[in-house]
Amino acid sequence: MAALCSTALALALAALPSGSYAAQADPSATVPAAPSVATATSTATAQGAPSRPSPGPAPDPSLPAHALTRADAPLDNPLKGFARFYQPGGNQNAGYPHSLTWSYFGLSEVMNDSSDCAHYDWDVLDDALDESASYGNQTALRFYIEYPGGSGTHPANAVPPCFAGHVANRTNSYWNTTSPDYDSAYLLDALKDFIAAFGARYDNDPRIGFIHLGLVGLWGEWHTWPYDTDTSGDSYPNLMPTDAHGAEIIKAYDNAFPHTKLEVRYPESGGAAANSLPAIGYHDDSFCFREGSPLAGVTLPASMGGASYSQLQKALEQGVENRWTTASMGGEVRPEIQSTAFDNWPGGSGAVDNMKACLELEHTTWKMNEGSANYDPNNAKVGAAVRQMGYDLTVDHAYFQDTAQGSTKVGVRLTNNGVAPFYYPWTVSLGLKDPSGNVVKSWATPWDLRKAMPVKIRAFPDWGLGADPTYLDYGYPQYFDTSVDLSGVSAGTYQLVMKAKNPLEDVSASAKKLRFANTGQHADGWLALGAMTVGSGTGTSHQYEAEAPGNTLTGTALRADCAGCSGGSKVGYVGNGATLTFTGVDGGSGGTRTVTLQYASAETRSATVRANGGTSRSVSFPPTADWATTGTTTLSLDLNAGTGNTITVANSSGWAPDIDRITVT
């Protein structure tokens, strides 16, 4: 919903959608309105670049580093990307991949007792939430009281019947809606009681992703245009509540929902009451649209060609342009441009503004986009935009002992390449998968994904930090570790895995899993971190340092210091004919043994590995963070019985990685 600086222009652009349009897109997003007095008289100023958060702890140098490879995350990761409109009985997983469903609800559908305002019938909401959950989707929602023409499945007039005789009604003749007296003490008490009951029942409900505060004005959008606070130049009376009364509703929501993420349409709503409440985000439902003559953006600020009433201009004027650091930014891609919004990604054309700038500066997590039903899931431009929205989490390294027993420490380092943090404290677990893919043991960790802030943010031109676009370093790769107890796990080789559990999984077997942007990410939500051998405690594993004096080095191979390597040393310059041979390797009773090579290499390299002059095995070594950070790779070799085995690392035509040690199990 974009605000216009003149009523004349608003009248020229406003048009009520006809037919079934309301079921296809949010009609309020096409309706302009005049700027509020709060905007015109605001004395707040832009907040400026946010202070960088703490970098957090460094990886434990005693743990071997295992490099993981990045890959594109799926398009339907939970709580981000596009939301489709709820259609009862419709296939919610049709069209472009998504994990959110959007729906309105009339207040009278819940407050439906004519004699008791404290009676709440939640069936209409529960039915919708359950249906969406059955498709694996979380719901974003809003309650309203007046909806021009109704939604098709929800009423136009949603004034609760218990208001009759207690609350005066007015007529918005432009939209033909019944507008209750939002300043009525009876109404305000009833709304606050409803919000308290709403929160008591649904706060932290895993079926709900985001709640728009709603309730006030047309479509619950906190405006009653043209019967609004801007009475200059028109004869329409103001039907909006006072700022003080609007603030009561905003604060009631903040009190009732300490866990579920909340959003309000405008930074100045209710006298800017939400601006001092860091848990409440904003909801731009004319996202990245340009209107008027000449064209002006209704999302980007005036410094980037935006209108004086644009979403981010208001945020700058209210000093809340960095609210995304604590609360979500939702809304809707303006319906008129949904079919073409990403055709010119990363920029825009005509009525589509600079889409990449809109996403980056607003720090968009999700948007209603019914037009996405017709998008090609393989459209690279749309995919790039969706993956940038909200969080984009990659685990670049895992840290653990290749062979362990009893209590052992495991760490990971993850990076957020999206535009916003992950906003919920979902439980992160570690686990072990057996060779058949079964999780045989798991451990909950205290790790908090919300700490992984975007590593880069885009500066507003208004901050005066350089030409647009200027990108600032912001978040850091976040390192987490914890100890796990391997007691009771049978000796053998497992896959160490990690998962952030969507609480919706406790409600629906179809719940969309949070998936990391890594090649080792499985559809079941578990991310492969690397192979771990669990020892039996009888000394079946042996480690051999590359720099040990008994080993044989040929050609250019030499021993070198390495702060991140076991023993503080490694062997480098192996390859191009130079070799490293481990001697005195114990093969136990003989047969196939698991050999884990710990190495350091700032680039992808390869080598051949062979035992006792047998067949050489070609091995690829993914890059590690640098030449002093180690990773591991594992292969199987046939060894003879006893301690007379040799294992040789070579590369006849290129450089091998630097070798730290091997572990034979």
Side-chain angles (χ1 to χ4, degrees):
M1 210 330 277
L4 289 182
C5 58
S6 74
T7 302
L9 186 54
L11 289 169
L13 294 177
L16 180 64
S18 61
S20 61
Y21 182 77
Q24 302 300 317
D26 180 353
S28 68
T30 68
V31 183
S36 69
V37 174
T39 299
T41 60
S42 172
T43 58
T45 58
Q47 189 176 29
S51 300
R52 292 190 74 180
S54 167
D60 187 334
S62 70
L63 296 175
H66 304 71
L68 276 65
T69 304
R70 177 176 167 80
D72 284 340
L75 299 169
D76 60 349
N77 246 340
L79 300 180
K80 62 168 285 181
F82 297 143
R84 293 281 304 282
F85 279 69
Y86 173 64
Q87 303 287 352
N91 179 4
Q92 293 190 19
N93 287 333
Y96 196 82
H98 59 283
S99 66
L100 284 167
T101 300
W102 166 263
S103 187
Y104 291 96
F105 299 93
L107 184 60
S108 62
E109 296 179 273
V110 172
M111 295 176 62
N112 56 14
D113 190 321
S114 61
S115 62
D116 185 4
C117 276
H119 172 82
Y120 308 108
D121 180 355
W122 300 105
D123 287 351
V124 65
L125 177 54
D126 278 325
D127 289 347
L129 296 178
D130 286 342
E131 185 175 355
S132 294
S134 74
Y135 285 93
N137 296 333
Q138 265 104 355
T139 296
L141 63 97
R142 175 198 303 157
F143 277 94
Y144 68 88
I145 295 178
E146 44 186 316
Y147 191 125
S151 72
T153 55
H154 301 285
N157 176 14
V159 177
C162 62
F163 284 10
H166 301 282
V167 180
N169 290 323
R170 296 81 53 87
T171 298
N172 183 325
S173 59
Y174 188 90
W175 296 104
N176 194 29
T177 61
T178 298
S179 185
D181 178 5
Y182 291 107
D183 289 318
S184 161
Y186 190 91
L187 174 144
L188 288 168
D189 286 343
L191 292 188
K192 287 186 286 186
D193 288 345
F194 164 77
I195 293 166
F198 185 20
R201 183 179 176 94
Y202 292 101
D203 183 43
N204 215 26
D205 189 312
R207 299 172 297 173
I208 298 176
F210 307 95
I211 295 175
H212 185 291
L213 270 55
L215 295 177
V216 174
L218 299 163
W219 301 280
E221 282 286 357
W222 287 73
H223 76 89
T224 47
W225 185 88
Y227 294 81
D228 56 12
T229 56
D230 182 13
T231 58
S232 61
D234 65 45
S235 59
Y236 297 104
N238 175 23
L239 302 185
M240 283 291 286
T242 64
D243 285 345
H245 290 153
E248 290 184 39
I249 295 172
I250 292 173
K251 291 173 182 176
Y253 264 111
D254 189 59
N255 290 331
F257 288 92
H259 301 99
T260 302
K261 304 310 294 183
L262 302 172
E263 297 171 357
V264 67
R265 177 62 181 92
Y266 304 107
E268 74 275 15
S269 295
N275 297 355
S276 61
L277 303 173
I280 298 181
Y282 304 109
H283 187 95
D284 177 6
D285 68 6
S286 282
F287 184 69
C288 223
F289 186 61
R290 294 204 299 167
E291 64 187 13
S293 180
L295 289 171
V298 297
T299 289
L300 293 178
S303 61
M304 299 180 70
S308 62
Y309 51 83
S310 74
Q311 183 78 13
L312 291 176
Q313 184 62 35
K314 291 184 176 186
L316 286 164
E317 291 169 357
Q318 293 290 334
V320 291
E321 72 270 28
N322 296 321
R323 175 54 55 84
W324 63 271
T325 61
T326 58
S328 59
M329 300 292 123
E332 181 178 26
V333 178
R334 179 83 169 221
E336 296 96 316
I337 64 172
Q338 287 179 6
S339 63
T340 60
F342 303 94
D343 288 355
N344 293 286
W345 172 269
S349 179
V352 181
D353 213 336
N354 184 329
M355 183 60 68
K356 191 168 190 285
C358 288
L359 289 176
E360 290 177 334
L361 289 174
E362 192 174 272
H363 297 268
T364 302
T365 283
W366 70 279
K367 293 294 176 195
M368 291 177 269
N369 186 355
E370 190 64 18
S372 68
N374 299 316
Y375 292 173
D376 180 352
N378 297 312
N379 186 315
K381 294 179 179 180
V382 178
V386 169
R387 291 186 174 99
Q388 189 175 34
M389 293 169 71
Y391 64 91
D392 185 62
L393 302 174
T394 299
V395 178
D396 55 48
H397 285 83
Y399 302 83
F400 58 89
Q401 300 294 342
D402 302 278
T403 301
Q405 60 190 51
S407 179
T408 188
K409 185 184 287 186
V410 176
V412 298
R413 190 176 71 174
L414 60 88
T415 300
N416 185 355
N417 293 297
V419 300
F422 186 76
Y423 290 106
Y424 283 97
W426 286 5
T427 299
V428 179
S429 295
L430 293 168
L432 290 176
K433 278 188 174 182
D434 65 18
S436 298
N438 301 310
V439 178
V440 299
K441 184 83 171 181
S442 64
W443 305 266
T445 76
W447 303 347
D448 189 346
L449 296 180
R450 294 174 297 178
K451 292 183 178 180
M453 301 298 279
V455 292
K456 295 282 187 182
I457 62 172
R458 184 169 180 158
F460 281 86
D462 309 71
W463 293 349
L465 299 177
D468 181 69
T470 291
Y471 291 92
L472 308 176
D473 292 328
Y474 185 63
Y476 297 85
Q478 288 294 303
Y479 173 75
F480 305 99
D481 65 26
T482 192
S483 292
V484 299
D485 186 359
L486 299 173
S487 299
V489 179
S490 299
T493 299
Y494 299 87
Q495 186 67 234
L496 182 65
V497 291
M498 165 186 168
K499 178 178 179 177
K501 182 182 177 181
N502 183 346
L504 192 64
E505 295 178 53
D506 292 331
V507 175
S508 170
S510 302
K512 305 287 171 63
K513 311 296 192 297
L514 188 153
R515 287 145 291 172
F516 295 92
N518 287 98
T519 56
Q521 178 65 61
H522 299 295
D524 62 3
W526 290 100
L527 170 65
L529 301 178
M532 172 182 277
T533 299
V534 177
S536 64
T538 59
T540 56
S541 295
H542 302 276
Q543 294 181 340
Y544 303 89
E545 295 291 338
E547 69 274 16
N551 293 339
T552 301
L553 282 61
T554 68
T556 56
L558 55 80
R559 296 170 178 84
D561 292 337
C562 174
C565 297
S566 63
S569 299
K570 63 182 179 180
V571 171
Y573 291 98
V574 177
N576 284 312
T579 63
L580 162 65
T581 300
F582 292 84
T583 61
V585 176
D586 190 350
S589 59
T592 302
R593 295 290 181 264
T594 299
V595 178
T596 301
L597 293 97
Q598 187 161 309
Y599 67 95
S601 178
E603 60 189 27
T604 300
R605 289 190 174 181
S606 63
T608 60
V609 183
R610 66 176 181 171
N612 302 319
T615 302
S616 295
R617 297 277 305 280
S618 180
V619 180
S620 178
F621 296 81
T624 59
D626 50 48
W627 293 101
T629 300
T630 61
T632 63
T633 191
T634 301
L635 74 158
S636 296
L637 293 175
D638 292 327
L639 300 183
N640 300 323
T643 59
N645 293 279
T646 61
I647 294 177
T648 300
V649 181
N651 186 329
S652 62
S653 59
W655 291 115
D658 296 350
I659 305 300
D660 179 13
R661 68 180 179 187
I662 61 171
T663 300
V664 179
T665 304

